[in-house]
């Protein structure tokens, strides 16, 4: 027994040993120090400065806050679940030799982006908005309160808001994974994930949603660009970052011929593609209706139905469009059609009637095809899963659609059909803003990563697939055989780990 | 740059080109014209005639509408998610060579059925019910208001109702996919999907749920046939359409021997079967408890638990039943047992106590086995995934169970155990009505499709699997190789698309 | 037609025939008799003694009960969905030859455990707590009212409580499946599932959650051990039962070398592992925030965010920890890291601020590694999927974390950082209680099963994989071929069933 105990102590000691080299590294020390400093200023005195951390006062002031809180959290859970949808969709569209790599990116990116959004992003985005307690400091361009959810931000409403916004930031982040799949290094991708969550996403978000200049810009009677649930904030930002990332990392080996004509690289699992689309569709029921942050706003039923109708119409139009052209029922196009319909209806979902949602979903399909054509044939960029046509193309159309189809019943937003032109102009300004801001910052981000840790796996790794070189784990071992070395990552040095 | 721009313009033009042959086709023109006419009458003046499109009045009249709206939408989302469950379940039970075809059917059927339900079905089903604004016109047999959700139906409550009813119509639709799998043409199946969503499902639904004759028929003191959440409306309708579709398309090659004895055609993926069942079970928590359309009706907890208990009891009884017979733990039977228990408890879920749910789930299992025997050995119909025993067999038993186990605590519905016989008679009338209505209309539907576009793939296509001939996409490419031609479906004519 | 009818009758008769041998068996008769007796006493007079089976009185007394009911049910649905997460996770980590077996265990265990919890467990756990109607009889050690949810327990609040508690019991149950995978007999495993759901889980639960001695034990000013959502009740109980089960069934062939050093047996499907983790993470949003049983307690947003932050921090720390050691991004460790963070934050989730959740998630990782080391290298137990490090290791740390990080804002629970030591001592008492109670009862359970039906499959079955010997179903048939014999399990004796 005593032997076993000393064995155990030895084990624990050796378990902790990897920390030793880590804490010796300078960058690591710096990072930890920065976090501690932030913690000291914002984290530790949190309790004393907390606004309403139990919610008793909030509930007493407004008993309806209970149903609104439940609604916002549950729809937020659904939005988060879209992460799994993106993972399935992209994984199905790429080859089996890069599955471990892709699933790692899909799981870890929201982990890392959300920590960036917790530490910095949320404060940059909503500081100064005064929407909830602890968000007092900031201006029309940038916020600076709410870091680490501490101090006055330790409040049930502020924290609810953080959760709902965080799942949106995570969605924007993961859109990029598919476009750069099969050749971007995992470490490079995870570094990007932190920066988009901490910086790129939050600042555009600030301008239109966080009390910033874009949301209050007034033109021809229209009071601010409007993006109800994120056609621009989430999908254009993610889609444009995807385009830039894919362009900078370069096309996969074999994707383009010498004369610039493209080849098609088949995915490994068609069911995954449809499963992913199903889960994304499911999550969209949280994405759009949840964006009221309130169930007392009964418009949520209209929003849910508009979302649904645009999605199914997109699918039907895309499927039969390709069928008319090729005679084949291409379900990959059907899935992409439903997704681009959903992306497009995201900005206008609350401002329109159901018949307009059907139109918006239908028109989104040629937007997707045209964007795809530009990306693949004009720009000659390798977007491995078609993320850019769906998210950037659909997102642009969605922003425009607000300026066209908003019928004036909800919050006074009026498009062309309600006789107003101002909103459409504001929407164009918002589109331009995304292109400038994300164009510049995403370029700088990927450029800096290329210069430091490098963007792209080696040619050998790419040909072999990234799973073994980067992760040491085969996704589908032909034979689930037994290898030497146990599952503990901290095995005694004498034993080779062959996994 | 200028070159690139003109290239882009060219691309966009060529992208839109497939529309050209399409708009030349007569049937297509007719379809579009019909939609436009409908739109002109019902769609465009919607805003002026809208009842309460933002919900402000509805909320002020009854603040509880917020929690009821949230409840109905969220449970509706869960019901919709069952589509993925059906897809997994059926895909697991069939062969790998028909996966693309099956997933296409599973995804596109709800898209198409729901558009049919939006345009026509909902108005036929609830017009005249006066349950919500904009549903004024109709009689005990058919409704005629609410088309395209326009006019007075542009109202938060009516649109909420549409959403919840639509996901039920979509469920009935997709039940058929499994029974006719591996040989029905995709175009035939999608045509059927439109008709069941627009016509077959809504009219029976009208009679029992939409203020029709069956729901108000009075016999021996019982006031109307009762189907709480759709054992007949969804499951018997879908199950009977599945039986008729499977009979008319004929058995798969090799399913029956010359002497009429059946063979078993193994599925390709057992985990898919269990995953599908898990997801269906999850969705049932929306299906039954959500059917109150109100969380203020606290009976929802009893409904949820009754649903759960019937499902688990069905699984346990079916698993050990087969184990007693064969000595093997057949999880496919366990899954089917849970599903038939869930189907059976759907009609009585609200009217019974938990102990009765356990009994109903247990008794559903022999109903399933007996129905399976009749379908496979007596009728010699090839139901590829066992949809008929679960949905038609379980649905019949569920309708009867209302007349037996309703204990009188909820809405005054009383079965045999509460000393009343009238309800049981009404339930038999409802069962007979389904057989007559769906028997006739489903037969006519499949007959008309057979005469026009044809029901069944050719022998060569069936032997090869439908994936390549109908879709051009292999589900699991052995080698995810690179082929000529990019992903855009509108490639220049000189380039062969080899996907 | 008449022939067909008599055929049908014959079929139905033969369908029911397996019951004949079953009802002849003594143990089966005894079981049925016991259930009937229970039913007679508690089940049948249920209606007369029911408290509030429709909820009208409950709602009128407190209209907020609607939103609380909806919240509790929906979060309960999410918790139940974790069953699918556990199934995916474990299935991915084991070999393809045992897939049917594993999915069968994963699906049937919650069915059987929940029936045990319905009949006995709930009454033992909450009888005497007087928390809801029909739970009057019991003491600080054991309850005895509420059996079969009958009598006074036929009440909307009591039944809601049953549902939420049942999904927790089912979670504890299924944790064991992974640890004993690939060699425990299915019948042995299902017998264990009944006992943990009916007896082992409920009694510890009674002591800390059901008004028992542990929840009211007072030390140094702290009033009772606290486990907000089940780090001990669910995860330590399940994790310790897993350890004992895995130790008693013995290691898989080839898992350890003669010198006691371990080998790694690779799983068959990496995507399954990540999918399972995603679904578990999703379910945790129900697990912890739902444990308030009330949306009017707005603390739910803080609980959701704490849960999330601990999960993502665990993932990031584990991933980079292993990366620092091996240079590989091991996503299996990333997934386990997120799970151990989630397990750990389960007990303290409501009592802490977000910054503490980040710390708790980070510190959970070395707890996991150390526990793994002890299990694999010191105890030399074969835990096939690493369930013990995650659930037992993480659960212990979670219980301790309450005593350290509780900041006193919620329900007065104060840990070291709020200047109190008493809570930490109580948490240690709770940990010790789990070890004694589960240690003894799980040992006795597995011992009794070993003596009666046997714990372990034969060497031949294990080498071949359990799928064919125990289930007769191959998970992934290489060729989905046609075999003689239809799908009905009750085929005429002349026809061989070859599935």
């Amino acid at each position: 027994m005593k032997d076993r105990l000393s064995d155990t102590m030895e084990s624990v000691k050796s378990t902790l040993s990897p920390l030793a080299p880590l804490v010796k590294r300078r960058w690591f020390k710096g990072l930890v120090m920065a976090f501690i400093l932030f913690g000291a200023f914002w984290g530790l005195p949190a309790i004393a400065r907390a606004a309403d951390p139990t919610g008793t006062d909030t509930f007493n002031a407004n008993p309806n806050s209970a149903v609104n809180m439940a609604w916002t959290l549950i729809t937020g859970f659904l939005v988060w679940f879209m992460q799994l949808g993106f993972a399935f969709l992209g994984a199905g569209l790429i080859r089996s030799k890069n599955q471990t790599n892709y699933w790692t990116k899909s799981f870890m990116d929201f982990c890392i982006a959300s920590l960036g959004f917790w530490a910095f992003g949320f404060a940059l985005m909503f500081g100064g908005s005064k929407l909830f307690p602890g968000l007092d400091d900031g201006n029309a361009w940038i916020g600076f309160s709410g870091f680490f959810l501490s101090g006055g931000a330790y409040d049930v409403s502020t924290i609810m808001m953080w959760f709902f916004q965080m799942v949106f930031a995570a969605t924007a982040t993961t859109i990029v994974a598919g476009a750069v799949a099969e050749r971007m290094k995992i470490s490079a991708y995870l570094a990007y994930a932190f920066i988009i969550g901490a910086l790129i996403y939050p600042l555009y978000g600030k301008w239109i949603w966080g009390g910033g200049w874009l949301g209050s810009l007034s033109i021809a009677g229209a009071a601010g660009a409007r993006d109800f649930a994120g056609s621009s904030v989430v999908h254009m930002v993610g889609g444009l970052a995807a385009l830039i990332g894919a362009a900078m990392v370069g096309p996969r080996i074999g994707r383009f011929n010498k004369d610039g004509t493209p080849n098609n690289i088949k995915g490994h699992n068609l069911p995954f593609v449809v499963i992913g689309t199903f889960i994304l569709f499911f999550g969209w029921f949280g994405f759009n209706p949840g964006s009221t942050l309130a169930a007392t706003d009964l418009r949520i039923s209209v929003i849910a139905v508009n979302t649904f109708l645009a999605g199914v119409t997109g699918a039907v139009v895309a499927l039969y469009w390709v069928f008319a052209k090729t005679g084949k029922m291409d379900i990959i196009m059907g899935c992409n059609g439903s997704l681009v319909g959903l992306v497009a209806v995201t900005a206008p979902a609350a401002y329109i009637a159901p018949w307009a949602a059907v139109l918006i979903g239908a028109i989104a399909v040629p937007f997707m095809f045209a964007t795809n054509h530009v990306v693949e044939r004009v720009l000659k960029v390798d977007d491995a899963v078609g993320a850019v046509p769906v998210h950037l193309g659909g997102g642009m159309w969605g922003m425009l659609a607000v300026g066209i189809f908003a019928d004036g019943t909800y919050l006074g937003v009026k498009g062309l059909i309600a006789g107003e032109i101002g909103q459409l102009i504001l929407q164009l300004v918002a589109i331009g803003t995304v292109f400038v801001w994300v164009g510049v910052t995403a370029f700088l981000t990927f450029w800096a990563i290329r210069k430091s840790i490098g963007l792209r796996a080696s040619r050998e790794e790419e040909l072999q697939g990234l799973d073994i070189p980067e992760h040491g784990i085969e996704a589908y071992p032909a034979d689930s055989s037994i290898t030497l070395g146990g599952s503990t990552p901290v095995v005694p040095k004498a034993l080779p780990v062959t996994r």
Side-chain angles (χ1 to χ4, degrees), chain A:
Chain A
M1 187 65 207
K2 207 183 148 198
D3 273 11
R4 290 217 153 172
L5 200 71
S6 85
D7 254 27
T8 308
M9 287 299 105
E10 202 55 41
S11 299
V12 173
K13 229 175 92 187
S14 102
T15 299
L16 296 171
S17 68
L19 283 183
L22 203 65
V23 297
K24 280 182 204 135
R25 298 193 189 178
R26 233 157 71 199
W27 62 265
F28 184 80
K29 271 190 194 161
L31 202 71
V32 169
M33 197 61 78
F35 263 71
I36 288 173
L37 280 175
F38 266 106
F41 277 105
W42 283 283
L44 299 182
I47 299 158
R49 293 167 45 210
D52 183 17
T54 60
T56 316
D57 300 343
T58 306
F59 178 71
N60 288 338
N62 176 19
N64 282 325
S65 55
V67 69
N68 291 339
M69 175 69 86
W71 174 252
T72 307
L73 290 179
I74 293 169
T75 53
F77 303 158
L78 293 182
V79 177
W80 179 83
F81 199 52
M82 293 171 75
Q83 295 288 329
L84 177 57
F86 279 108
F88 263 118
L89 179 65
L93 290 167
I94 64 170
R95 289 167 290 186
S96 52
K97 65 182 178 181
N98 293 307
Q99 291 298 308
T100 301
N101 181 259
Y102 196 74
W103 287 92
T104 304
K105 286 171 173 171
S106 297
F107 190 82
M108 296 308 304
D109 60 1
F110 81 86
C111 293
I112 286 174
S114 64
L115 286 174
F117 195 73
W118 168 66
F120 311 112
F122 182 67
L124 302 181
M125 186 162 171
F126 288 100
S129 70
K130 300 192 172 64
L131 288 167
F132 295 103
L135 301 172
D136 297 327
D137 304 328
N139 56 41
W141 290 86
I142 189 164
F144 27 86
S145 60
F147 293 101
F148 294 91
L149 281 180
S150 57
Y154 186 14
D155 173 275
V156 293
S157 306
T158 313
I159 285 180
M160 173 196 83
M161 185 69 171
W162 182 84
F163 185 74
F164 200 76
Q165 297 298 331
M166 175 275 296
V167 293
F168 277 63
T171 306
T173 304
T174 204
I175 288 170
V176 177
V180 302
E182 304 204 286
R183 75 276 201 202
M184 187 177 276
K185 284 169 67 171
I186 176 82
S187 47
Y189 178 75
L190 295 182
Y192 140 80
F194 187 85
I195 293 166
I196 194 174
L199 194 70
I200 300 177
Y201 173 92
L203 280 177
Y204 176 71
K206 163 78 191 174
W207 303 338
I208 192 163
W209 283 354
W213 64 272
L214 193 54
S216 50
L217 190 65
S218 183
I219 290 179
R226 290 289 172 261
D227 181 0
F228 182 67
S231 285
S232 71
V233 183
V234 174
H235 297 285
M236 284 189 66
V237 166
L240 187 55
L243 177 61
I244 293 167
M248 291 178 68
V249 75
R252 286 167 294 172
I253 296 165
R255 179 66 168 83
F256 291 102
N257 299 315
K258 283 199 177 155
D259 62 358
T261 52
N263 299 311
N264 179 31
I265 300 179
K266 283 195 283 188
H268 87 302
N269 194 314
L270 187 277
F272 273 19
V273 176
V274 185
I275 296 163
T277 308
F278 265 117
I279 293 175
L280 285 168
F281 206 126
F282 183 54
W284 240 290
F285 289 127
F287 213 90
N288 292 0
S291 288
T292 58
L293 304 180
T296 52
D297 181 346
L298 301 184
R299 185 76 173 183
I300 51 178
S301 67
V302 178
I303 301 169
V305 166
N306 286 343
T307 302
F308 178 83
L309 285 173
V312 298
T313 307
V316 171
V317 170
L319 188 85
Y320 281 95
W321 184 300
V322 177
F323 184 62
K325 177 87 186 170
T326 68
K328 304 284 183 191
M329 292 269 187
D330 185 334
I331 185 60
I332 297 177
M333 284 302 151
C335 287
N336 278 343
S338 83
L339 294 176
V340 78
L342 290 164
V343 168
V345 85
T346 294
Y351 309 121
I352 58 170
W355 65 267
V358 170
L359 272 182
I360 290 170
I363 298 171
V365 174
F367 263 84
M368 172 178 74
F369 287 146
T371 309
N372 192 33
H373 218 94
V374 173
V375 171
E376 189 176 61
R377 311 245 162 205
V378 183
L379 303 178
K380 299 190 193 308
V381 166
D382 175 16
D383 172 4
V385 305
V388 180
V390 167
H391 296 282
L392 184 60
M396 282 174 62
W397 163 235
M399 288 300 282
L400 296 175
V402 173
I404 299 170
F405 292 105
D407 66 8
T409 53
Y410 190 72
L411 300 181
V413 179
K414 293 182 184 182
L416 293 182
I417 69 155
E420 302 282 346
I421 182 84
Q423 191 66 48
L424 188 57
I425 300 171
L426 284 170
Q427 302 303 107
L428 285 163
V429 174
I431 290 173
T433 306
V434 173
F435 272 93
V436 174
W437 169 250
V438 180
V440 171
T441 53
F443 173 81
L444 290 176
T445 301
F446 287 113
W447 177 84
I449 294 171
R450 186 158 63 189
K451 286 289 166 198
S452 52
I453 44 183
L455 270 185
R456 185 156 181 155
S458 73
R459 184 180 165 82
E460 288 67 38
E461 288 171 340
E462 186 179 344
L463 289 173
Q464 182 191 354
L466 307 180
D467 289 2
I468 301 298
E470 292 217 317
H471 306 275
I473 303 174
E474 212 180 335
Y476 310 111
D479 174 2
S480 313
S481 56
I482 297 172
T483 56
L484 286 180
S487 64
T488 315
V490 282
V491 293
K493 265 147 206 119
L495 254 186
V497 186
T498 57
R499 183 170 65 197

